[in-house]
């Protein structure tokens, strides 16, 4: 029976802890890319997510193949080979350069492929993907050199250098993303494409930092970097024999997630961006429309509660009864009143257009169900587009349960034209005036008072006619505002 050995545990933690820390730090680089590109714009986020899905498996194959150096160096080191055991790692440079060169050629000539797999994305998102890949490919040789030095160091039992390099590159990546995405610190403003530039620089910086660290710690032979690099097919074969299966395994694992992102790319940038962020999320997802500003938190909570309480429901859709239903798709129901499909206005028959229940575009669904259904959507419709709403019919055909909830038309009204914007603004002012009147604010002529979305008013306040509240305005208690005033930032 094996007993607990604190000394052995300590040695394991000293050896394995830095490896885990380095891996976690490098994961934060991907998170930083996604978050910062998302702050710049949805098209940039979708473009970076798609490009990462393409280049990610290549990086995984490169890193996995070169990780075969570690056990070979460790075997020689354990057999008494000393620091000279690391010489074998130099042959990994040839393998890394070969894989990098092939990847660079494929990426440089892959515009048509990228255009095909990104067919559902906007032109902007596709341009970001292409620009990202064209820039990030120049960093692949640098990443290969870093991987060779890291594998050799870990084979000698030196795992801290990788952790130090990871910490440096995380900070550098954040600074470079900030500079090249947003055009700060004297760099050009490149949006999501700037992520590719930053990543390429970071990869070469990781290699340079690794060289500095291992030379400073001096655990490689003195002539490791000076000795002439010749081709040794036998040693290259050993590395490939051990490392290539590892690389393929990691490539396949990463490729599964990448394939999902690529397949979903046709559903436009919002879905690609969401999938890249929620690939491991196992909860419920609410799909909202950016042009429906009046949906309340209570309605969304009710939508989620209906999904959670009815365990048999895989998704719940939000419908409404509209006075002018011409612009809306229709929710068609079965004899029991349950939704069976959603038909868009251009595709509906005359009989279907008479249906009174309109689609708001808001859906709550279980994450796994949602992304599985999306893969089955086809573009067999008048616009030849991939409709998110088709998942309702697909779900019913699979025997899944689809729930329905109704909301007032005002709450789910969409803003798609200047006329809609005027109507929405009038509705907002009406609701806001009523809210302040119910809180005790006195208005001499409520219809002539206009509020901003962030207006805050204290108690015992009187407002005269023709008063306009601009953004960032806060009124204290016991205030009288006379007629014909314009306040902003007050």
């Amino acid at each position: 029976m094996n007993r607990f050995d604190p000394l052995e545990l300590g040695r394991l933690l000293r050896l394995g802890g830095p490896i885990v820390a380095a891996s976690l730090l490098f994961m934060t680089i991907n998170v930083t890319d996604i978050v910062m590109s998302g702050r710049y714009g949805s098209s940039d986020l979708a473009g970076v997510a798609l490009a990462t899905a393409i280049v990610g498996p290549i990086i995984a194959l490169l890193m996995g193949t070169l990780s075969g150096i570690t056990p070979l160096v460790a075997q020689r080191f354990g057999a008494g080979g000393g620091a000279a055991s690391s010489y074998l790692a130099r042959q990994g440079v040839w393998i890394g350069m070969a894989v990098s060169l092939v990847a660079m050629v494929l990426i440089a000539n892959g515009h048509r492929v990228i255009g095909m797999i990104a067919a559902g994305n906007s032109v902007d998102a596709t341009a970001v993907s292409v620009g990202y890949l064209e820039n990030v490919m120049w960093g692949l040789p640098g990443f290969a050199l870093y991987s060779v030095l890291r594998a050799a160091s870990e084979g000698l039992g030196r795992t801290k250098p990788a952790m130090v390099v990871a910490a440096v590159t995380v900070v550098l990546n954040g600074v470079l993303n900030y500079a090249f995405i947003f055009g700060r610190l004297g760099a050009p403003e490149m949006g999501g494409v700037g992520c590719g530039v930053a990543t390429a620089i970071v990869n070469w910086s990781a290699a340079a930092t690794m060289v500095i660290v291992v030379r400073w710690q001096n655990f490689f032979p003195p002539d490791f970097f000076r000795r002439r690099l010749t081709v040794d097919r036998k040693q290259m074969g050993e590395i490939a024999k051990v490392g290539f299966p590892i690389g393929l395994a990691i490539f396949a694992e990463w490729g599964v997630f990448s394939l999902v992102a690529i397949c979903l790319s046709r559903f436009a940038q919002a879905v690609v961006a969401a999938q890249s962020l929620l690939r491991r999320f196992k909860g419920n997802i609410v799909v909202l429309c950016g042009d429906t500003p009046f949906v309340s938190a209570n309605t969304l909570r009710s939508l989620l509660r209906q999904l959670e309480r009815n365990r048999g429901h895989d998704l719940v859709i939000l419908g409404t009864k509209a006075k002018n239903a011409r612009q809306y798709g229709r929710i068609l129901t079965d004899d029991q009143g349950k939704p069976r499909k959603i038909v868009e206005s251009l595709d509906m028959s005359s009989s279907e257009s008479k249906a009174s229940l309109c689609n708001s575009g808001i859906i709550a669904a279980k994450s796994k169900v949602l992304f599985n259904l999306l893969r089955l959507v086809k573009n067999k419709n008048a616009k030849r587009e991939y409709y998110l709403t088709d998942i309702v019919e697909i779900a019913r055909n699979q025997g899944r349960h689809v729930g329905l909830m109704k909301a007032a038309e005002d709450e789910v009204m969409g803003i798609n034209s200047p006329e809609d914007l005027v109507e929405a603004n009038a509705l907002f002012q009406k609701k806001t005036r009523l809210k302040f009147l119910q809180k005790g604010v006195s208005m001499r002529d409520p219809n002539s008072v206009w509020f901003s979305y962030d207006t805050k008013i204290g108690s015992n306040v009187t407002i005269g006619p023709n008063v306009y509240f601009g953004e960032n305005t806060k009124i204290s208690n016991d205030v009288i505002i006379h007629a014909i005033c314009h306040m902003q930032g007050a």
Side-chain angles (χ1 to χ4, degrees), residues 42-48 50-51 54 110-134 193 265-266 268-269:
S42 61
S43 293
D44 295 84
L45 173 56
V48 170
L50 180 59
I54 295 170
H111 295 78
R112 292 184 179 180
V113 176
I114 295 170
M116 288 171 59
I117 64 178
N121 270 323
S122 69
V123 174
D124 291 339
T126 304
V128 170
S129 294
V130 173
Y132 178 99
L133 292 172
E134 287 179 340
V193 175
S265 65
R266 63 191 184 187
Q269 62 251 32

Side-chain angles (χ1 to χ4, degrees), residues 28-43:
T28 64
I29 291 178
N30 290 332
V31 174
T32 302
D33 289 349
I34 293 295
V35 171
M36 295 188 76
S37 61
R39 293 283 300 217
Y40 190 82
S42 61
S43 293

Side-chain angles (χ1 to χ4, degrees), residues 5 56 69 84 90 133 155 182 196 237 243 257 323 373 390 435 438 444:
D5 186 344
I69 294 171
R90 290 160 49 89
L133 292 172
F182 301 100
F257 293 108
K323 297 176 182 177
L373 291 173
D390 285 353
K435 178 185 71 174
Q438 291 174 342
R444 302 287 173 80

Side-chain angles (χ1 to χ4, degrees), residues 70-109:
T70 301
L72 293 173
V73 171
Q75 183 184 41
R76 286 165 170 73
F77 186 71
S85 305
S86 60
Y87 282 128
L88 174 139
R90 290 160 49 89
Q91 296 302 314
V93 173
W94 294 113
I95 298 175
M97 292 302 105
V99 175
S100 299
L101 181 60
V102 172
M104 291 173 70
V105 171
L106 291 174
I107 290 172
N109 295 279

Side-chain angles (χ1 to χ4, degrees), residues 332-369:
L332 305 182
T333 58
D334 58 20
D335 295 337
Q336 297 177 335
K338 296 180 179 180
R340 57 183 179 85
K341 68 183 297 187
I342 296 176
V343 184
E344 296 300 327
S345 56
L346 289 178
D347 299 298
M348 66 180 68
S349 64
S350 57
S351 60
E352 290 172 337
S353 65
K354 296 177 182 178
S356 60
L357 194 57
C358 298
N359 174 40
S360 71
I362 297 173
I363 299 174
K366 298 173 182 176
S367 58
K368 184 177 180 180
V369 172

